[in-house]
Amino acid sequence: MRKKKCTVLDCRGLVIFASRHIIQVKVEPIAVKRPTILVLGAGYGGLSTVVNLQKSLGTDEAEVILVNKNDYHYESTWLHEAAAGTLSPEQVRYDISRVIKKDKVTFVKAEVRSIDVNGKTVGTTAGDFTYDYLVIALGFEGETFGIPGLDKYALSIANVNAARQIREHIEYQFATWSTEDVKADSRLTIIVGGAGFTGIEFLGELGDRIPKLCEEFDVPADKVKVLCVEAAPMVLPGFDPELVDYAVRQLKSKGIEFSIGTPVVEATPEGVKLKKGEDEFEFIEAGTVVWAAGVRGNRLIEETGIENMRARVKVDKDLRAPGYSDVFIVGDCALMINEEANRPYPPTAQIAMQQGDMCANNIIALMKQQPTSPFVPDLKGSIASLGSSDAIGVAFGKKMTGAKASFMKKMVDNRALYLIGGAPLTIKKGKFDFL
Ligand SMILES: Cc1cc2nc3c(=O)[nH]c(=O)nc-3n(C[C@H](O)[C@H](O)[C@H](O)COP(=O)(O)OP(=O)(O)OC[C@H]3O[C@@H](n4cnc5c(N)ncnc54)[C@H](O)[C@@H]3O)c2cc1C
């Protein structure tokens, strides 16, 4: 068991002026504990916090510890590409050591197992850690809403290895179909649950990838079926209807089918059952089911005792957990209400990174006994890709589609790299295939 504790010595000479004599009083060094800032999770929120802390704090001002289950960060916003096989999993991730300053941040590769916000202790596979300030940035998990079978039989674009698993599963189904004597065409059916942001972006990549898979595995294109199923009556809720029409048209032109307003009620090893009417159900056989219909915060939040909704905490304006002045929550584990729309802001990387910046500033403010600042998202827009050269979105108040939107999307992706790792990381991992 490892307990982290750190002290530095603050040596002060006290000089007293007494008439014309200067009396120097020697004071014994005072032991002053540097505050320990413990950051859990190296996704967008956690890494932004750490990168901003290391920019602003000297080595002797605080001990910053970053705990993450892997020694790499992955771009969650690119996972649909790795899952469809249009981008290599290696391109999606980079070593955390590339972006942290080792003299200012201690990185611990470990899985967080428990968070005790009353005892101020975090249990991990590398031992226990105490803290003065805690930042919880443990990200999202897939939400299956209790639909039977989904946890077991559907795949989820949850992290880089889960994305790799989806890619390999689809390739396996194509390879098996082309080698088996009695061909089961349902192997070549891919069901994508959810027509929200993640589902649509994944479908866009599948639209690019399927023709290549057909060529690679000698599969006739008309044997493949890609079906998007959605419980809500619309695609991409919250997006401009004109842009949504464009997206659906483009995806249909790539052979993708939609079943909208038809909730999945069960998943089995053979496929999914859809509710099509009051007492009407349809079972669709499929070799691959990918569930992209909802996210929740990290389950560890639910064990902290902090009030939460599906593991997301309605944080105070300065990003602290209500009732815990030393606990900050950023990214997908935090919930903030957009007061204009009277509903929560969607969980996005854009917001997670901005929260990371603000969280670092607010911790530094507390260390200096200064007031904290409220977090106000600076929303620059939202762009959904529809494959490698097509997209829809609104950026800086302007609607855009096609190559222009796709260019913007890649610039947004590159900007996220730049903000964390500067030019070297952007050059190494960035997207520059603009044609
Ligand atoms: C396919 C897809 C496309 C998306 N596209 C966009 C987009 O275009 N624009 C946008 O703004 N948002 C997009 N999002 C949403 C965005 O990715 C999330 O909002 C964002 O990743 C949240 O950041 P985060 O820092 O909260 O968590 P994450 O990025 O999920 O990071 C959490 C980190 O915590 C680590 N971790 C988790 N549990 C533990 C544990 N127990 N112990 C140790 N470490 C742990 C994880 O390994 C990870 O490194 C997309 C999401 C997906 C899945």
Side-chain angles (χ1 to χ4, degrees), residues 41-45 68-70 74 76-77 80 110-112 137-140 157 197-198 201 298 300 331-332 347-350 352 409:
Y44 294 101
N68 194 62
K69 66 162 83 142
N70 309 300
Y74 50 83
S76 303
T77 58
H80 56 290
E111 187 170 332
V112 177
L138 291 169
F140 67 92
I157 313 176
F197 206 95
T198 302
E201 288 203 315
N298 193 299
L300 283 167
D332 285 5
T348 65
Q350 185 179 181
K409 176 83 176 177

PDB file of all heavy atoms in Angstrom, residues 41-45 68-70 74 76-77 80 110-112 137-140 157 197-198 201 298 300 331-332 347-350 352 409, ligand 1:
ATOM      1  N   GLY A  41      -7.954  10.422 -14.008  1.00  0.00           N
ATOM      2  CA  GLY A  41      -8.386  10.330 -15.408  1.00  0.00           C
ATOM      3  C   GLY A  41      -7.578  11.258 -16.293  1.00  0.00           C
ATOM      4  O   GLY A  41      -7.421  12.438 -15.993  1.00  0.00           O
ATOM      5  N   ALA A  42      -7.054  10.693 -17.393  1.00  0.00           N
ATOM      6  CA  ALA A  42      -6.249  11.491 -18.335  1.00  0.00           C
ATOM      7  C   ALA A  42      -6.962  11.569 -19.678  1.00  0.00           C
ATOM      8  O   ALA A  42      -6.366  11.351 -20.731  1.00  0.00           O
ATOM      9  CB  ALA A  42      -4.857  10.894 -18.482  1.00  0.00           C
ATOM     10  N   GLY A  43      -8.261  11.857 -19.617  1.00  0.00           N
ATOM     11  CA  GLY A  43      -8.998  12.158 -20.848  1.00  0.00           C
ATOM     12  C   GLY A  43      -8.880  13.647 -21.119  1.00  0.00           C
ATOM     13  O   GLY A  43      -7.924  14.300 -20.661  1.00  0.00           O
ATOM     14  N   TYR A  44      -9.857  14.193 -21.818  1.00  0.00           N
ATOM     15  CA  TYR A  44      -9.786  15.621 -22.176  1.00  0.00           C
ATOM     16  C   TYR A  44      -9.798  16.507 -20.929  1.00  0.00           C
ATOM     17  O   TYR A  44      -9.022  17.451 -20.817  1.00  0.00           O
ATOM     18  CB  TYR A  44     -10.961  15.997 -23.074  1.00  0.00           C
ATOM     19  CG  TYR A  44     -10.908  15.325 -24.419  1.00  0.00           C
ATOM     20  CD1 TYR A  44     -11.688  14.206 -24.692  1.00  0.00           C
ATOM     21  CD2 TYR A  44     -10.074  15.800 -25.416  1.00  0.00           C
ATOM     22  CE1 TYR A  44     -11.636  13.578 -25.919  1.00  0.00           C
ATOM     23  CE2 TYR A  44     -10.022  15.178 -26.649  1.00  0.00           C
ATOM     24  CZ  TYR A  44     -10.808  14.064 -26.895  1.00  0.00           C
ATOM     25  OH  TYR A  44     -10.753  13.452 -28.116  1.00  0.00           O
ATOM     26  N   GLY A  45     -10.700  16.190 -19.989  1.00  0.00           N
ATOM     27  CA  GLY A  45     -10.837  17.036 -18.806  1.00  0.00           C
ATOM     28  C   GLY A  45      -9.614  16.941 -17.897  1.00  0.00           C
ATOM     29  O   GLY A  45      -9.067  17.959 -17.465  1.00  0.00           O
ATOM     30  N   ASN A  68      -4.158   7.401 -14.096  1.00  0.00           N
ATOM     31  CA  ASN A  68      -4.968   6.951 -15.243  1.00  0.00           C
ATOM     32  C   ASN A  68      -4.734   5.466 -15.448  1.00  0.00           C
ATOM     33  O   ASN A  68      -3.631   4.975 -15.201  1.00  0.00           O
ATOM     34  CB  ASN A  68      -4.559   7.717 -16.514  1.00  0.00           C
ATOM     35  CG  ASN A  68      -5.575   7.544 -17.632  1.00  0.00           C
ATOM     36  OD1 ASN A  68      -6.735   7.929 -17.490  1.00  0.00           O
ATOM     37  ND2 ASN A  68      -5.158   6.960 -18.742  1.00  0.00           N
ATOM     38  N   LYS A  69      -5.754   4.764 -15.933  1.00  0.00           N
ATOM     39  CA  LYS A  69      -5.605   3.307 -16.000  1.00  0.00           C
ATOM     40  C   LYS A  69      -4.630   2.868 -17.085  1.00  0.00           C
ATOM     41  O   LYS A  69      -4.054   1.797 -16.985  1.00  0.00           O
ATOM     42  CB  LYS A  69      -6.950   2.596 -16.102  1.00  0.00           C
ATOM     43  CG  LYS A  69      -7.759   2.799 -17.312  1.00  0.00           C
ATOM     44  CD  LYS A  69      -8.829   1.704 -17.463  1.00  0.00           C
ATOM     45  CE  LYS A  69     -10.061   1.975 -16.652  1.00  0.00           C
ATOM     46  NZ  LYS A  69     -11.320   1.604 -17.325  1.00  0.00           N
ATOM     47  N   ASN A  70      -4.415   3.696 -18.079  1.00  0.00           N
ATOM     48  CA  ASN A  70      -3.415   3.375 -19.113  1.00  0.00           C
ATOM     49  C   ASN A  70      -2.333   4.444 -19.087  1.00  0.00           C
ATOM     50  O   ASN A  70      -2.571   5.548 -18.616  1.00  0.00           O
ATOM     51  CB  ASN A  70      -4.060   3.378 -20.504  1.00  0.00           C
ATOM     52  CG  ASN A  70      -5.315   2.531 -20.540  1.00  0.00           C
ATOM     53  OD1 ASN A  70      -5.265   1.339 -20.271  1.00  0.00           O
ATOM     54  ND2 ASN A  70      -6.445   3.139 -20.853  1.00  0.00           N
ATOM     55  N   TYR A  74      -6.320   8.592 -25.031  1.00  0.00           N
ATOM     56  CA  TYR A  74      -6.905   8.377 -26.362  1.00  0.00           C
ATOM     57  C   TYR A  74      -7.896   9.488 -26.661  1.00  0.00           C
ATOM     58  O   TYR A  74      -8.549  10.024 -25.764  1.00  0.00           O
ATOM     59  CB  TYR A  74      -7.573   7.002 -26.498  1.00  0.00           C
ATOM     60  CG  TYR A  74      -8.532   6.648 -25.402  1.00  0.00           C
ATOM     61  CD1 TYR A  74      -9.857   7.095 -25.429  1.00  0.00           C
ATOM     62  CD2 TYR A  74      -8.129   5.879 -24.324  1.00  0.00           C
ATOM     63  CE1 TYR A  74     -10.749   6.784 -24.411  1.00  0.00           C
ATOM     64  CE2 TYR A  74      -9.007   5.559 -23.296  1.00  0.00           C
ATOM     65  CZ  TYR A  74     -10.312   6.026 -23.356  1.00  0.00           C
ATOM     66  OH  TYR A  74     -11.183   5.724 -22.348  1.00  0.00           O
ATOM     67  N   SER A  76     -11.100  10.308 -27.488  1.00  0.00           N
ATOM     68  CA  SER A  76     -12.418   9.645 -27.511  1.00  0.00           C
ATOM     69  C   SER A  76     -13.227  10.080 -28.734  1.00  0.00           C
ATOM     70  O   SER A  76     -14.020   9.308 -29.266  1.00  0.00           O
ATOM     71  CB  SER A  76     -13.227  10.005 -26.271  1.00  0.00           C
ATOM     72  OG  SER A  76     -12.534   9.664 -25.131  1.00  0.00           O
ATOM     73  N   THR A  77     -13.007  11.321 -29.163  1.00  0.00           N
ATOM     74  CA  THR A  77     -13.805  11.845 -30.279  1.00  0.00           C
ATOM     75  C   THR A  77     -13.408  11.206 -31.617  1.00  0.00           C
ATOM     76  O   THR A  77     -14.043  11.469 -32.628  1.00  0.00           O
ATOM     77  CB  THR A  77     -13.646  13.370 -30.397  1.00  0.00           C
ATOM     78  OG1 THR A  77     -12.269  13.667 -30.580  1.00  0.00           O
ATOM     79  CG2 THR A  77     -14.145  14.082 -29.158  1.00  0.00           C
ATOM     80  N   HIS A  80     -14.847   6.397 -33.110  1.00  0.00           N
ATOM     81  CA  HIS A  80     -15.703   5.799 -34.140  1.00  0.00           C
ATOM     82  C   HIS A  80     -14.895   5.438 -35.386  1.00  0.00           C
ATOM     83  O   HIS A  80     -15.218   4.499 -36.094  1.00  0.00           O
ATOM     84  CB  HIS A  80     -16.849   6.755 -34.499  1.00  0.00           C
ATOM     85  CG  HIS A  80     -16.376   8.104 -34.938  1.00  0.00           C
ATOM     86  ND1 HIS A  80     -15.807   9.004 -34.082  1.00  0.00           N
ATOM     87  CD2 HIS A  80     -16.373   8.696 -36.150  1.00  0.00           C
ATOM     88  CE1 HIS A  80     -15.482  10.105 -34.735  1.00  0.00           C
ATOM     89  NE2 HIS A  80     -15.810   9.940 -36.004  1.00  0.00           N
ATOM     90  N   ALA A 110      -2.533   3.411 -12.965  1.00  0.00           N
ATOM     91  CA  ALA A 110      -3.289   2.571 -12.030  1.00  0.00           C
ATOM     92  C   ALA A 110      -4.775   2.751 -12.288  1.00  0.00           C
ATOM     93  O   ALA A 110      -5.202   3.765 -12.853  1.00  0.00           O
ATOM     94  CB  ALA A 110      -2.977   2.976 -10.592  1.00  0.00           C
ATOM     95  N   GLU A 111      -5.526   1.757 -11.870  1.00  0.00           N
ATOM     96  CA  GLU A 111      -6.977   1.864 -11.992  1.00  0.00           C
ATOM     97  C   GLU A 111      -7.536   2.372 -10.662  1.00  0.00           C
ATOM     98  O   GLU A 111      -7.191   1.841  -9.597  1.00  0.00           O
ATOM     99  CB  GLU A 111      -7.560   0.488 -12.312  1.00  0.00           C
ATOM    100  CG  GLU A 111      -9.027   0.581 -12.616  1.00  0.00           C
ATOM    101  CD  GLU A 111      -9.588  -0.719 -13.165  1.00  0.00           C
ATOM    102  OE1 GLU A 111      -8.841  -1.492 -13.789  1.00  0.00           O
ATOM    103  OE2 GLU A 111     -10.779  -0.950 -12.922  1.00  0.00           O
ATOM    104  N   VAL A 112      -8.376   3.373 -10.726  1.00  0.00           N
ATOM    105  CA  VAL A 112      -9.032   3.872  -9.515  1.00  0.00           C
ATOM    106  C   VAL A 112     -10.115   2.865  -9.135  1.00  0.00           C
ATOM    107  O   VAL A 112     -10.906   2.443  -9.983  1.00  0.00           O
ATOM    108  CB  VAL A 112      -9.654   5.265  -9.760  1.00  0.00           C
ATOM    109  CG1 VAL A 112     -10.400   5.743  -8.518  1.00  0.00           C
ATOM    110  CG2 VAL A 112      -8.581   6.270 -10.164  1.00  0.00           C
ATOM    111  N   ALA A 137     -12.072  13.176 -13.113  1.00  0.00           N
ATOM    112  CA  ALA A 137     -12.236  13.362 -14.566  1.00  0.00           C
ATOM    113  C   ALA A 137     -12.237  11.985 -15.225  1.00  0.00           C
ATOM    114  O   ALA A 137     -11.490  11.724 -16.161  1.00  0.00           O
ATOM    115  CB  ALA A 137     -11.092  14.231 -15.102  1.00  0.00           C
ATOM    116  N   LEU A 138     -13.078  11.103 -14.691  1.00  0.00           N
ATOM    117  CA  LEU A 138     -13.028   9.689 -15.096  1.00  0.00           C
ATOM    118  C   LEU A 138     -13.912   9.353 -16.294  1.00  0.00           C
ATOM    119  O   LEU A 138     -14.064   8.185 -16.659  1.00  0.00           O
ATOM    120  CB  LEU A 138     -13.382   8.801 -13.895  1.00  0.00           C
ATOM    121  CG  LEU A 138     -12.301   8.796 -12.791  1.00  0.00           C
ATOM    122  CD1 LEU A 138     -12.826   8.133 -11.532  1.00  0.00           C
ATOM    123  CD2 LEU A 138     -11.028   8.107 -13.270  1.00  0.00           C
ATOM    124  N   GLY A 139     -14.522  10.368 -16.899  1.00  0.00           N
ATOM    125  CA  GLY A 139     -15.162  10.188 -18.192  1.00  0.00           C
ATOM    126  C   GLY A 139     -16.466   9.415 -18.209  1.00  0.00           C
ATOM    127  O   GLY A 139     -17.155   9.280 -17.194  1.00  0.00           O
ATOM    128  N   PHE A 140     -16.766   8.901 -19.403  1.00  0.00           N
ATOM    129  CA  PHE A 140     -18.085   8.314 -19.664  1.00  0.00           C
ATOM    130  C   PHE A 140     -18.043   6.791 -19.720  1.00  0.00           C
ATOM    131  O   PHE A 140     -16.995   6.188 -19.896  1.00  0.00           O
ATOM    132  CB  PHE A 140     -18.631   8.856 -20.996  1.00  0.00           C
ATOM    133  CG  PHE A 140     -17.834   8.398 -22.203  1.00  0.00           C
ATOM    134  CD1 PHE A 140     -18.182   7.254 -22.884  1.00  0.00           C
ATOM    135  CD2 PHE A 140     -16.732   9.122 -22.654  1.00  0.00           C
ATOM    136  CE1 PHE A 140     -17.460   6.828 -23.999  1.00  0.00           C
ATOM    137  CE2 PHE A 140     -16.007   8.703 -23.762  1.00  0.00           C
ATOM    138  CZ  PHE A 140     -16.370   7.557 -24.431  1.00  0.00           C
ATOM    139  N   ILE A 157     -18.583   1.638 -28.247  1.00  0.00           N
ATOM    140  CA  ILE A 157     -17.387   2.416 -28.636  1.00  0.00           C
ATOM    141  C   ILE A 157     -16.901   3.169 -27.395  1.00  0.00           C
ATOM    142  O   ILE A 157     -16.985   4.390 -27.307  1.00  0.00           O
ATOM    143  CB  ILE A 157     -17.731   3.400 -29.788  1.00  0.00           C
ATOM    144  CG1 ILE A 157     -18.532   2.697 -30.886  1.00  0.00           C
ATOM    145  CG2 ILE A 157     -16.481   4.024 -30.364  1.00  0.00           C
ATOM    146  CD1 ILE A 157     -19.005   3.590 -32.014  1.00  0.00           C
ATOM    147  N   PHE A 197     -25.100  11.655 -31.981  1.00  0.00           N
ATOM    148  CA  PHE A 197     -23.814  12.086 -32.527  1.00  0.00           C
ATOM    149  C   PHE A 197     -22.874  10.898 -32.814  1.00  0.00           C
ATOM    150  O   PHE A 197     -22.366  10.735 -33.925  1.00  0.00           O
ATOM    151  CB  PHE A 197     -23.180  13.017 -31.487  1.00  0.00           C
ATOM    152  CG  PHE A 197     -22.242  14.003 -32.054  1.00  0.00           C
ATOM    153  CD1 PHE A 197     -22.657  15.286 -32.370  1.00  0.00           C
ATOM    154  CD2 PHE A 197     -20.923  13.663 -32.280  1.00  0.00           C
ATOM    155  CE1 PHE A 197     -21.783  16.205 -32.898  1.00  0.00           C
ATOM    156  CE2 PHE A 197     -20.040  14.571 -32.801  1.00  0.00           C
ATOM    157  CZ  PHE A 197     -20.470  15.851 -33.099  1.00  0.00           C
ATOM    158  N   THR A 198     -22.674  10.056 -31.800  1.00  0.00           N
ATOM    159  CA  THR A 198     -21.723   8.946 -31.955  1.00  0.00           C
ATOM    160  C   THR A 198     -22.199   7.958 -33.009  1.00  0.00           C
ATOM    161  O   THR A 198     -21.424   7.512 -33.861  1.00  0.00           O
ATOM    162  CB  THR A 198     -21.542   8.218 -30.597  1.00  0.00           C
ATOM    163  OG1 THR A 198     -21.094   9.186 -29.646  1.00  0.00           O
ATOM    164  CG2 THR A 198     -20.546   7.104 -30.673  1.00  0.00           C
ATOM    165  N   GLU A 201     -21.785   9.438 -36.539  1.00  0.00           N
ATOM    166  CA  GLU A 201     -20.374   9.519 -36.961  1.00  0.00           C
ATOM    167  C   GLU A 201     -19.835   8.118 -37.293  1.00  0.00           C
ATOM    168  O   GLU A 201     -19.082   7.947 -38.250  1.00  0.00           O
ATOM    169  CB  GLU A 201     -19.531  10.161 -35.862  1.00  0.00           C
ATOM    170  CG  GLU A 201     -19.789  11.662 -35.736  1.00  0.00           C
ATOM    171  CD  GLU A 201     -18.631  12.409 -35.097  1.00  0.00           C
ATOM    172  OE1 GLU A 201     -18.115  11.926 -34.082  1.00  0.00           O
ATOM    173  OE2 GLU A 201     -18.248  13.461 -35.628  1.00  0.00           O
ATOM    174  N   ASN A 298     -18.913   7.929 -15.033  1.00  0.00           N
ATOM    175  CA  ASN A 298     -18.214   6.746 -14.508  1.00  0.00           C
ATOM    176  C   ASN A 298     -18.901   6.210 -13.243  1.00  0.00           C
ATOM    177  O   ASN A 298     -19.214   6.976 -12.329  1.00  0.00           O
ATOM    178  CB  ASN A 298     -16.762   7.146 -14.188  1.00  0.00           C
ATOM    179  CG  ASN A 298     -15.886   5.951 -13.943  1.00  0.00           C
ATOM    180  OD1 ASN A 298     -16.127   5.179 -13.030  1.00  0.00           O
ATOM    181  ND2 ASN A 298     -14.876   5.804 -14.764  1.00  0.00           N
ATOM    182  N   LEU A 300     -17.935   4.833 -10.658  1.00  0.00           N
ATOM    183  CA  LEU A 300     -17.296   5.099  -9.357  1.00  0.00           C
ATOM    184  C   LEU A 300     -17.942   6.283  -8.648  1.00  0.00           C
ATOM    185  O   LEU A 300     -17.970   6.357  -7.430  1.00  0.00           O
ATOM    186  CB  LEU A 300     -15.801   5.379  -9.548  1.00  0.00           C
ATOM    187  CG  LEU A 300     -14.922   4.156  -9.800  1.00  0.00           C
ATOM    188  CD1 LEU A 300     -13.556   4.586 -10.293  1.00  0.00           C
ATOM    189  CD2 LEU A 300     -14.804   3.325  -8.541  1.00  0.00           C
ATOM    190  N   GLY A 331     -15.631  17.295 -17.060  1.00  0.00           N
ATOM    191  CA  GLY A 331     -15.887  16.373 -18.169  1.00  0.00           C
ATOM    192  C   GLY A 331     -17.228  15.681 -18.035  1.00  0.00           C
ATOM    193  O   GLY A 331     -18.182  16.217 -17.463  1.00  0.00           O
ATOM    194  N   ASP A 332     -17.286  14.456 -18.542  1.00  0.00           N
ATOM    195  CA  ASP A 332     -18.568  13.745 -18.645  1.00  0.00           C
ATOM    196  C   ASP A 332     -19.137  13.328 -17.291  1.00  0.00           C
ATOM    197  O   ASP A 332     -20.300  12.926 -17.218  1.00  0.00           O
ATOM    198  CB  ASP A 332     -18.417  12.519 -19.546  1.00  0.00           C
ATOM    199  CG  ASP A 332     -18.342  12.897 -21.013  1.00  0.00           C
ATOM    200  OD1 ASP A 332     -18.309  14.111 -21.315  1.00  0.00           O
ATOM    201  OD2 ASP A 332     -18.316  11.991 -21.864  1.00  0.00           O
ATOM    202  N   PRO A 347     -22.627  16.171 -22.926  1.00  0.00           N
ATOM    203  CA  PRO A 347     -21.243  15.858 -22.550  1.00  0.00           C
ATOM    204  C   PRO A 347     -20.346  15.890 -23.780  1.00  0.00           C
ATOM    205  O   PRO A 347     -20.524  15.074 -24.701  1.00  0.00           O
ATOM    206  CB  PRO A 347     -21.343  14.437 -21.976  1.00  0.00           C
ATOM    207  CG  PRO A 347     -22.611  13.877 -22.516  1.00  0.00           C
ATOM    208  CD  PRO A 347     -23.510  15.004 -22.889  1.00  0.00           C
ATOM    209  N   THR A 348     -19.444  16.822 -23.842  1.00  0.00           N
ATOM    210  CA  THR A 348     -18.568  16.925 -25.022  1.00  0.00           C
ATOM    211  C   THR A 348     -17.118  17.163 -24.608  1.00  0.00           C
ATOM    212  O   THR A 348     -16.842  17.658 -23.514  1.00  0.00           O
ATOM    213  CB  THR A 348     -18.973  18.097 -25.950  1.00  0.00           C
ATOM    214  OG1 THR A 348     -18.779  19.328 -25.236  1.00  0.00           O
ATOM    215  CG2 THR A 348     -20.399  18.001 -26.424  1.00  0.00           C
ATOM    216  N   ALA A 349     -16.234  16.842 -25.533  1.00  0.00           N
ATOM    217  CA  ALA A 349     -14.802  17.082 -25.307  1.00  0.00           C
ATOM    218  C   ALA A 349     -14.545  18.579 -25.208  1.00  0.00           C
ATOM    219  O   ALA A 349     -13.705  19.034 -24.421  1.00  0.00           O
ATOM    220  CB  ALA A 349     -14.014  16.489 -26.461  1.00  0.00           C
ATOM    221  N   GLN A 350     -15.269  19.334 -26.015  1.00  0.00           N
ATOM    222  CA  GLN A 350     -15.115  20.788 -26.026  1.00  0.00           C
ATOM    223  C   GLN A 350     -15.322  21.351 -24.605  1.00  0.00           C
ATOM    224  O   GLN A 350     -14.502  22.114 -24.087  1.00  0.00           O
ATOM    225  CB  GLN A 350     -16.157  21.364 -26.992  1.00  0.00           C
ATOM    226  CG  GLN A 350     -16.065  22.830 -27.201  1.00  0.00           C
ATOM    227  CD  GLN A 350     -17.129  23.356 -28.191  1.00  0.00           C
ATOM    228  OE1 GLN A 350     -17.159  24.522 -28.463  1.00  0.00           O
ATOM    229  NE2 GLN A 350     -17.981  22.524 -28.729  1.00  0.00           N
ATOM    230  N   ALA A 352     -15.379  19.548 -21.771  1.00  0.00           N
ATOM    231  CA  ALA A 352     -14.439  18.912 -20.823  1.00  0.00           C
ATOM    232  C   ALA A 352     -13.113  19.675 -20.792  1.00  0.00           C
ATOM    233  O   ALA A 352     -12.542  19.920 -19.717  1.00  0.00           O
ATOM    234  CB  ALA A 352     -14.203  17.451 -21.210  1.00  0.00           C
ATOM    235  N   LYS A 409     -13.943  20.084 -39.177  1.00  0.00           N
ATOM    236  CA  LYS A 409     -13.909  19.007 -38.176  1.00  0.00           C
ATOM    237  C   LYS A 409     -12.456  18.584 -37.899  1.00  0.00           C
ATOM    238  O   LYS A 409     -12.061  18.398 -36.747  1.00  0.00           O
ATOM    239  CB  LYS A 409     -14.725  17.821 -38.706  1.00  0.00           C
ATOM    240  CG  LYS A 409     -14.698  16.596 -37.831  1.00  0.00           C
ATOM    241  CD  LYS A 409     -15.687  16.685 -36.712  1.00  0.00           C
ATOM    242  CE  LYS A 409     -15.724  15.423 -35.888  1.00  0.00           C
ATOM    243  NZ  LYS A 409     -16.611  15.515 -34.757  1.00  0.00           N
TER     244      LYS A 409
HETATM  245  C1  LIG B   1     -17.262   8.136 -30.906  1.00  0.00           C
HETATM  246  C2  LIG B   1     -17.360   9.432 -30.149  1.00  0.00           C
HETATM  247  C3  LIG B   1     -17.318  10.637 -30.835  1.00  0.00           C
HETATM  248  C4  LIG B   1     -17.393  11.857 -30.136  1.00  0.00           C
HETATM  249  N1  LIG B   1     -17.321  13.016 -30.850  1.00  0.00           N
HETATM  250  C5  LIG B   1     -17.274  14.187 -30.184  1.00  0.00           C
HETATM  251  C6  LIG B   1     -17.081  15.407 -30.893  1.00  0.00           C
HETATM  252  O1  LIG B   1     -16.995  15.422 -32.121  1.00  0.00           O
HETATM  253  N2  LIG B   1     -17.002  16.563 -30.186  1.00  0.00           N
HETATM  254  C7  LIG B   1     -17.064  16.584 -28.823  1.00  0.00           C
HETATM  255  O2  LIG B   1     -16.914  17.665 -28.229  1.00  0.00           O
HETATM  256  N3  LIG B   1     -17.269  15.447 -28.112  1.00  0.00           N
HETATM  257  C8  LIG B   1     -17.366  14.245 -28.759  1.00  0.00           C
HETATM  258  N4  LIG B   1     -17.543  13.079 -28.053  1.00  0.00           N
HETATM  259  C9  LIG B   1     -17.702  13.134 -26.587  1.00  0.00           C
HETATM  260  C10 LIG B   1     -16.337  13.228 -25.902  1.00  0.00           C
HETATM  261  O3  LIG B   1     -15.487  12.223 -26.363  1.00  0.00           O
HETATM  262  C11 LIG B   1     -16.485  13.144 -24.393  1.00  0.00           C
HETATM  263  O4  LIG B   1     -17.394  14.146 -23.983  1.00  0.00           O
HETATM  264  C12 LIG B   1     -15.129  13.371 -23.723  1.00  0.00           C
HETATM  265  O5  LIG B   1     -14.265  12.307 -24.033  1.00  0.00           O
HETATM  266  C13 LIG B   1     -15.256  13.521 -22.213  1.00  0.00           C
HETATM  267  O6  LIG B   1     -14.002  13.790 -21.683  1.00  0.00           O
HETATM  268  P1  LIG B   1     -13.608  13.304 -20.213  1.00  0.00           P
HETATM  269  O7  LIG B   1     -12.284  13.907 -19.908  1.00  0.00           O
HETATM  270  O8  LIG B   1     -14.723  13.552 -19.283  1.00  0.00           O
HETATM  271  O9  LIG B   1     -13.482  11.728 -20.295  1.00  0.00           O
HETATM  272  P2  LIG B   1     -12.669  10.736 -21.221  1.00  0.00           P
HETATM  273  O10 LIG B   1     -12.153  11.392 -22.423  1.00  0.00           O
HETATM  274  O11 LIG B   1     -13.584   9.570 -21.368  1.00  0.00           O
HETATM  275  O12 LIG B   1     -11.453  10.307 -20.299  1.00  0.00           O
HETATM  276  C14 LIG B   1     -11.586   9.574 -19.126  1.00  0.00           C
HETATM  277  C15 LIG B   1     -10.247   8.964 -18.760  1.00  0.00           C
HETATM  278  O13 LIG B   1     -10.367   8.319 -17.495  1.00  0.00           O
HETATM  279  C16 LIG B   1      -9.762   7.035 -17.570  1.00  0.00           C
HETATM  280  N5  LIG B   1     -10.428   6.171 -16.610  1.00  0.00           N
HETATM  281  C17 LIG B   1     -11.720   5.774 -16.608  1.00  0.00           C
HETATM  282  N6  LIG B   1     -11.970   4.996 -15.540  1.00  0.00           N
HETATM  283  C18 LIG B   1     -10.810   4.904 -14.856  1.00  0.00           C
HETATM  284  C19 LIG B   1     -10.434   4.252 -13.650  1.00  0.00           C
HETATM  285  N7  LIG B   1     -11.305   3.538 -12.922  1.00  0.00           N
HETATM  286  N8  LIG B   1      -9.159   4.371 -13.230  1.00  0.00           N
HETATM  287  C20 LIG B   1      -8.260   5.104 -13.931  1.00  0.00           C
HETATM  288  N9  LIG B   1      -8.561   5.747 -15.070  1.00  0.00           N
HETATM  289  C21 LIG B   1      -9.819   5.647 -15.531  1.00  0.00           C
HETATM  290  C22 LIG B   1      -9.983   6.607 -19.011  1.00  0.00           C
HETATM  291  O14 LIG B   1      -9.056   5.608 -19.382  1.00  0.00           O
HETATM  292  C23 LIG B   1      -9.770   7.928 -19.751  1.00  0.00           C
HETATM  293  O15 LIG B   1      -8.395   8.120 -20.013  1.00  0.00           O
HETATM  294  C24 LIG B   1     -17.499  11.847 -28.723  1.00  0.00           C
HETATM  295  C25 LIG B   1     -17.541  10.632 -28.037  1.00  0.00           C
HETATM  296  C26 LIG B   1     -17.468   9.434 -28.729  1.00  0.00           C
HETATM  297  C27 LIG B   1     -17.482   8.135 -27.968  1.00  0.00           C
END
